Amino acid sequence: MKVGVVGASGYVGGETLRLLVNHPDVEISMVTSRQHVGEYLHRIQPSLKGFTDLTFSELDYDKLTDKCDVVFTAVPHGTATEIVKALYDRGVKVIDLSADYRLHNQDAYDKWYGWEHPHPDYLEKSVFGVPELHREEIKKAQLVSCPGCMAVTSMLALAPLIKNDLIDTDHIIVDSKIGSSGAGSGSGTAHAMRAGVIRPYKPAKHRHTGEIEQELSEIAGSKIRVSMSPHAVDVVRGILCTNHTFLKKDIEEKELWKIYRQAYGEERFVRLIRDKKGLYKFPDPKFLVGSNFCDIGFDLDEDNNRLIALSASDNLMKGAAGSAIQNMNVMCGFDEMDGLRYTPLTPV
């Protein structure tokens, strides 16, 4: 399978390339960057030294169409709309890592992103790229839009609870902690301002809320509202979502185990973490770095009828490039773990 990557000079593009160079069924045919045309990839992405001699090309739709069966678009939000449409119209399979085709409703872009989508008729052509929720649709898709990192991490923990009608869907609180790489390579955030930080940002109306509400409402068959508040923390990679939910009925721990196992027992990239012994009893992003896993656990607060669903992932992997490769594998009929057979890096 010949693939291309559009916009590969950032963290997400670099991570996508790192996975593709080791994929057994893939040849990277073309990589583009507006700023680095003619430069070797490893000059911008040093980890690729010795793995490829490719250079960055300018964006040329005809060349991409001729050279590539699948194209990943890893450009900033708001700039992918025209690129994705142009490639889609040429019959290329597209996996978009921006937010530009995640939401199904045109009005949602005005609400969550503050701009009017220029191609609303293409929103219905896009499949939301979470194989654990939409595998059959992804198999038949030409356009897959990868989820936001905090969105996929929280919704995987919440989806089984909603599917089984366990929780009050009017009161769901998602408290997310995310590392600095989630801000992108061009954020310019100085180390002096990131070290030792637990900083709330966009504590109300964060744009990933729209994705979570969209997907969970689809599962429930009715409108669900989510209150989400993210925090920047002093790590480079990783997300921990503490999802506060309130039970509609009493439930025992063993019943919750059964529900999560029924949902994810066959899933290759979801691990259930709740250990009675040891220091690491619940999901911890430290033990996910470099992997495509989402770890899910839970705890019960009977005094307040509260179920805390905990989920963790690497924001550059399951939250971005890892999901993109997993989606490609599903679209193209490869083994879902191809290019993703990495255990987490420990220690980091």
Side-chain angles (χ1 to χ4, degrees):
M1 182 69 67
K2 295 184 177 181
V3 305
V5 181
V6 174
S9 61
Y11 290 148
V12 170
E15 193 75 347
T16 303
L17 290 170
R18 179 180 75 88
L19 300 175
L20 289 173
V21 294
N22 288 301
H23 196 290
D25 299 303
V26 159
E27 175 190 338
I28 304 173
S29 298
M30 187 171 174
V31 179
T32 79
S33 170
R34 289 181 305 165
Q35 296 174 296
H36 305 292
V37 174
E39 291 280 7
Y40 286 109
L41 300 190
H42 63 74
R43 286 201 174 132
I44 310 304
Q45 304 290 359
S47 62
L48 300 179
K49 181 78 170 178
F51 287 90
T52 177
D53 291 324
L54 273 176
T55 59
F56 287 104
S57 302
E58 62 182 356
L59 177 58
D60 184 313
Y61 295 121
D62 292 332
K63 288 183 179 179
L64 277 168
T65 303
D66 289 341
K67 291 185 174 185
C68 304
D69 304 300
V70 177
V71 175
F72 296 85
T73 48
V75 296
H77 306 316
T79 62
T81 51
E82 301 302 329
I83 298 170
V84 168
K85 179 181 182 299
L87 293 169
Y88 186 96
D89 289 346
R90 287 168 168 79
V92 179
K93 289 185 177 181
V94 183
I95 300 172
D96 183 29
L97 289 115
S98 81
D100 290 7
Y101 288 89
R102 289 175 187 164
L103 302 176
H104 303 326
N105 189 317
Q106 179 182 6
D107 294 338
Y109 277 96
D110 181 55
K111 176 179 180 179
W112 295 108
Y113 288 87
W115 48 269
E116 183 177 344
H117 201 288
H119 305 295
D121 49 327
Y122 281 70
L123 296 178
E124 63 185 23
K125 304 177 190 296
S126 176
V127 174
F128 195 72
V130 181
E132 292 80 5
L133 302 180
H134 298 297
R135 185 169 283 108
E136 294 307 311
E137 299 98 311
I138 293 168
K139 287 179 181 179
K140 298 176 285 187
Q142 184 187 340
L143 169 59
V144 170
S145 181
C146 295
C149 52
M150 289 181 285
V152 67
T153 306
S154 61
M155 70 176 62
L156 286 174
L158 293 167
L161 307 179
I162 290 171
K163 185 177 181 180
N164 287 274
D165 195 27
L166 286 180
I167 58 174
D168 176 2
T169 55
D170 290 328
H171 299 91
I172 299 172
I173 301 168
V174 177
D175 182 323
S176 294
K177 310 291 192 300
I178 185 169
S180 58
S181 60
S185 61
S187 64
T189 305
H191 173 73
M193 300 305 295
R194 284 292 314 206
V197 156
I198 304 175
R199 180 187 299 129
Y201 68 97
K202 200 65 177 172
K205 301 180 181 178
H206 189 280
R207 59 196 183 190
H208 284 189
T209 309
E211 298 170 47
I212 303 170
E213 290 185 349
Q214 170 183 280
E215 295 301 304
L216 297 184
S217 295
E218 186 175 311
I219 293 169
S222 59
K223 180 63 179 175
I224 287 180
R225 298 202 177 278
V226 172
S227 301
M228 177 184 173
S229 296
H231 302 74
V233 297
D234 185 13
V235 297
V236 174
R237 298 165 71 127
I239 296 173
L240 175 66
C241 292
T242 305
N243 306 284
H244 302 272
T245 70
F246 298 89
L247 291 162
K248 296 167 69 172
K249 57 185 177 184
D250 292 337
I251 189 167
E252 294 183 3
E253 180 182 314
K254 63 181 180 181
E255 293 178 79
L256 278 170
W257 270 115
K258 183 178 179 181
I259 285 169
Y260 275 115
R261 285 186 178 128
Q262 284 177 338
Y264 298 127
E266 301 299 317
E267 291 295 341
R268 314 279 286 279
F269 291 113
V270 176
R271 307 188 302 186
L272 302 180
I273 308 293
R274 193 172 190 271
D275 200 339
K276 297 287 187 182
K277 299 180 180 179
L279 182 60
Y280 306 106
K281 298 181 176 67
F282 296 104
D284 186 333
K286 185 176 179 67
F287 304 106
L288 286 158
V289 172
S291 79
N292 194 49
F293 296 109
C294 179
D295 285 357
I296 297 173
F298 64 86
D299 208 0
L300 287 165
D301 174 10
E302 293 89 351
D303 290 343
N304 295 292
N305 207 35
R306 184 170 59 112
L307 166 58
I308 307 100
L310 299 149
S311 48
S313 72
D314 180 335
N315 55 285
L316 290 179
M317 286 291 291
K318 189 61 174 172
S323 277
I325 303 303
Q326 187 181 356
N327 283 317
M328 180 191 70
N329 289 339
V330 174
M331 293 170 79
C332 300
F334 301 143
D335 186 303
E336 213 156 309
M337 292 194 78
D338 281 355
L340 295 169
R341 299 175 191 276
Y342 297 103
T343 62
L345 297 171
T346 305
V348 289

